[in-house]
Amino acid sequence: MARIGCSADYQGIQVTQLRTRRLPWSTVEELQVGPVNGRATAVRAKLKDGATVPLPGVPAADVPLLQELRAGQPGSPRVIGRA
């Protein structure tokens, strides 16, 4: 059984769904929070190439933590969601 989720550090986000993909912060244009199917809220990374990558397991409340990591503020790496 495959695990899904995300982890993030000062270098980027690691997204695990069927495969694992590393997104360096330099490729992320913005983090988006919005509804999915009019019910749930999803967090997505919009990349500079125009692609959008869902961030499974990341609640909207954790977006400020991702922004902090993206800004490179000092402190220990945090794990967001599960990977």
Side-chain angles (χ1 to χ4, degrees):
M1 180 181 279
R3 297 179 81 182
I4 63 168
C6 295
S7 61
D9 59 25
Y10 293 105
Q11 297 174 357
I13 305 170
Q14 180 170 304
V15 181
T16 303
Q17 291 177 311
L18 295 177
R19 63 184 180 96
T20 299
R21 180 177 182 185
R22 183 82 180 158
L23 304 172
W25 288 121
S26 61
T27 66
V28 177
E29 183 175 317
E30 67 179 345
L31 298 169
Q32 302 174 331
V33 178
V36 175
N37 300 328
R39 297 180 300 193
T41 300
V43 177
R44 296 174 291 278
K46 181 179 178 191
L47 306 183
K48 291 181 179 178
D49 68 4
T52 302
V53 179
L55 303 179
V58 178
D62 283 350
V63 170
L65 295 175
L66 290 174
Q67 296 287 20
E68 178 183 319
L69 291 171
R70 184 176 181 208
Q73 296 178 4
S76 41
R78 302 173 193 238
V79 174
I80 309 296
R82 293 189 319 197

